[in-house]
Amino acid sequence: MDVLDVAARATETGPVCDACLGRLVADRSFGLSNADRGSALRTSLALRDDEDFEPVDTADCWVCEGRCAAFDEWAERAAEAVEGVEFATYNVGTRPPPLIEENEALLRADVGLDEEAGEPFKSEFNREVGKRFGRLTGAEVSFDRPDVQFTIDLAEDEVDAKVNSTFVYGRYRKLERDIPQTEWPCRECKGSGRQGADPCDHCGGSGYLYDDSVEEYTAPVVEDVMDGTEATFHGAGREDVDALMLGTGRPFVIEVEEPRRRRVDTDRLQSDINAFADGAVEVEGLRLATYDMVERVKEHDAAKRYRAQVTFDADVDADALAAAVGELEGTTVEQYTPNRVDHRRASITRERDVYEMTAELDEPRHATVEIRGEGGLYIKELISSDEGRTEPSLAGLLGVGAEVTALDVLAVAGEDEPFERDEFFRE
Ligand SMILES: [Zn+2]
Ligand SMILES: [Zn+2]
């Protein structure tokens, strides 16, 4: 159908504003707004039919009921909704009233167009309000997880602003033992502490099994600096509560919900955290990250280097120790889920490689052992055999009981995963 015939039929249905008119043929000629397109059609129609040009006041439009005159107002309301919030990207969504969607369908039917002709009211609204919001604030539109996401509910006369989380990546060292990575709620009172008159005996009423955690030393500082409502710590795996995390540290991401500040100085943030953690925990390599970093950090099962202090039940000969270690180095170990591991998880036998292993006999009943192993290798069990659940093991090969008395992680890294430079976690 000729565009002028479309326009002629549309104007016969009653007062239709320029935007609603232009939207019917939004797929013809680009680089114009629908209002421009509608206005041009109306002009051409007056010229073709030699009639007087009669503009239509948008307020009188029976299709949008004047909504197409409100783009500026909604853009300003959106800007007000995020006043004081820092953002660089945004997106606008609209929920049109059902009546307007019905009017749109009626207009197309009256004109003889199919229901999908031109552009829907909703997408014009999103775009026109979005354009104006961008001009007002200097932010960029983004469809992939913008900093702020608006939903305009026209029927309810409301604009909802969702401020998306922001993320900080870094690596931590844990320099004191008995600090869990994340808060560890008490099993007995389920984290409540049983507030008030009847404090929980198990945790002394705090609700937590440990006073501190790597999370507690870091996340609140980030939450505070970014002025958010909640902060969550995501680690690339975790060491045992009683193990130190040394060397180049372990990658982590802290997620801050509803931040009012995003572009923070990460060097300063790093010093703030390190001052707050006061030597128990240290962070480095802090930088701003995107949301996909959480999955990358959590899914990464990196190789690790450990140092274990090992105590034997009986005297051990240095040659026998060297032979046992030589046999373990480069081998694949079968480990049935250890006794100490949470038994809500399925028990399975897993195979993990020991890449490198060295041992130094300090005393007849004590050795310092270093191991570089595949992600997921249970070190304490590799030494003790865990009552035969791990095979082979140092205790098994020596024929002597062996136990890890202190375990430290020296590096979360593998040959081809140079964590020192964080290459795996580059954007
Ligand atoms: Zn209209
Ligand atoms: Zn408790």
Side-chain angles (χ1 to χ4, degrees):
M1 202 188 309
D2 180 73
V3 286
L4 286 182
D5 292 334
V6 170
R9 291 190 193 185
T11 53
E12 279 160 21
T13 65
V16 177
C17 76
D18 288 346
C20 288
L21 189 60
R23 207 162 55 246
L24 287 172
V25 291
D27 45 350
R28 320 266 187 103
S29 91
F30 293 95
L32 291 170
S33 71
N34 286 325
D36 291 341
R37 208 174 263 123
S39 168
L41 282 175
R42 215 184 296 283
T43 308
S44 306
L45 200 58
L47 291 169
R48 183 188 79 172
D49 299 344
D50 197 13
E51 285 172 351
D52 288 343
F53 177 74
E54 284 178 51
V56 169
D57 190 340
T58 304
D60 299 330
C61 175
W62 73 267
V63 183
C64 70
E65 300 182 329
R67 311 276 188 184
C68 291
F71 299 144
D72 285 312
E73 182 197 325
W74 282 106
E76 281 159 25
R77 286 179 68 174
E80 273 166 34
V82 288
E83 218 168 87
V85 175
E86 198 176 85
F87 57 89
T89 54
Y90 70 93
N91 191 12
V92 175
T94 305
R95 236 175 256 150
L99 188 68
I100 288 183
E101 298 199 300
E102 281 169 32
N103 290 350
E104 288 252 289
L106 269 177
L107 175 64
R108 280 161 179 72
D110 286 353
V111 171
L113 292 170
D114 62 68
E115 217 174 310
E116 254 93 79
E119 185 187 21
F121 169 83
K122 182 162 117 171
S123 68
E124 169 164 23
F125 213 92
N126 294 345
R127 187 182 58 253
E128 292 298 330
V129 174
K131 258 181 358 199
R132 286 161 173 80
F133 178 83
R135 281 201 294 268
L136 277 176
T137 61
E140 297 275 325
V141 70
S142 163
F143 301 101
D144 179 31
R145 208 170 156 113
D147 293 344
V148 291
Q149 166 77 49
F150 298 101
T151 305
I152 295 172
D153 190 326
L154 289 172
E156 294 292 322
D157 192 33
E158 270 174 10
V159 56
D160 174 68
K162 181 181 187 320
V163 177
N164 280 322
S165 298
T166 190
F167 304 85
V168 173
Y169 166 85
R171 282 175 284 111
Y172 74 84
R173 281 186 288 274
K174 192 174 92 186
L175 305 173
E176 287 176 12
R177 297 188 197 279
D178 298 321
I179 299 177
Q181 186 187 72
T182 51
E183 290 177 352
W184 196 323
C186 171
R187 217 176 300 119
E188 296 300 312
C189 63
K190 297 188 167 59
S192 74
R194 290 204 194 91
Q195 286 134 17
D198 178 29
C200 170
D201 290 338
H202 196 65
C203 62
S206 70
Y208 295 100
L209 282 190
Y210 295 87
D211 293 339
D212 306 315
S213 64
V214 178
E215 179 176 30
E216 277 298 287
Y217 278 124
T218 54
V221 181
V222 183
E223 181 186 325
D224 191 45
V225 168
M226 294 188 147
D227 198 3
T229 55
E230 181 92 52
T232 311
F233 187 98
H234 307 280
R238 59 175 69 211
E239 62 284 341
D240 291 334
V241 170
D242 58 3
L244 300 182
M245 179 66 236
L246 303 171
T248 48
R250 184 187 294 276
F252 67 90
V253 172
I254 291 173
E255 171 177 3
V256 177
E257 289 172 39
E258 298 182 63
R260 294 173 70 82
R261 284 199 290 277
R262 285 175 190 272
R263 309 279 152 231
V264 302
D265 178 344
T266 47
D267 288 344
R268 199 168 151 196
L269 181 59
Q270 184 168 312
S271 325
D272 288 351
I273 292 171
N274 289 336
F276 180 69
D278 199 21
V281 168
E282 267 174 16
V283 297
E284 67 172 44
L286 245 61
R287 60 185 170 77
L288 302 174
T290 50
Y291 74 99
D292 55 325
M293 197 63 87
V294 173
E295 281 309 297
R296 285 166 71 185
V297 158
K298 285 175 81 167
E299 283 173 7
H300 190 62
D301 200 5
K304 292 169 199 74
R305 182 180 288 281
Y306 298 90
R307 182 173 53 212
Q309 302 303 327
V310 176
T311 302
F312 302 108
D313 279 358
D315 289 2
V316 168
D317 174 74
D319 290 342
L321 179 62
V325 165
E327 206 158 319
L328 286 173
E329 187 171 55
T331 199
T332 300
V333 178
E334 290 195 350
Q335 298 194 299
Y336 188 72
T337 305
N339 264 333
R340 66 189 168 96
V341 168
D342 189 340
H343 283 283
R344 282 170 300 185
R345 280 195 225 165
S347 289
I348 46 163
T349 298
R350 311 198 286 174
E351 293 193 344
R352 290 290 186 273
D353 289 341
V354 178
Y355 301 135
E356 287 174 56
M357 190 161 172
T358 57
E360 202 148 321
L361 197 62
D362 311 318
E363 291 164 35
R365 294 195 178 199
H366 185 267
T368 302
V369 180
E370 282 200 20
I371 300 141
R372 193 169 68 81
E374 190 178 351
L377 175 69
Y378 292 115
I379 299 297
K380 289 174 179 171
E381 287 70 19
L382 174 69
I383 300 300
S384 72
S385 94
D386 195 25
E387 297 170 354
R389 286 178 183 77
T390 287
E391 174 64 35
S393 69
L394 187 63
L397 290 169
L398 287 172
V400 169
E403 199 195 339
V404 173
T405 53
L407 182 65
D408 301 328
V409 185
L410 301 180
V412 178
E415 286 302 74
D416 45 357
E417 298 159 350
F419 264 40
E420 294 79 357
R421 296 190 297 278
D422 292 329
E423 278 175 5
F424 182 81
F425 294 103
R426 281 282 161 223
E427 310 274 337

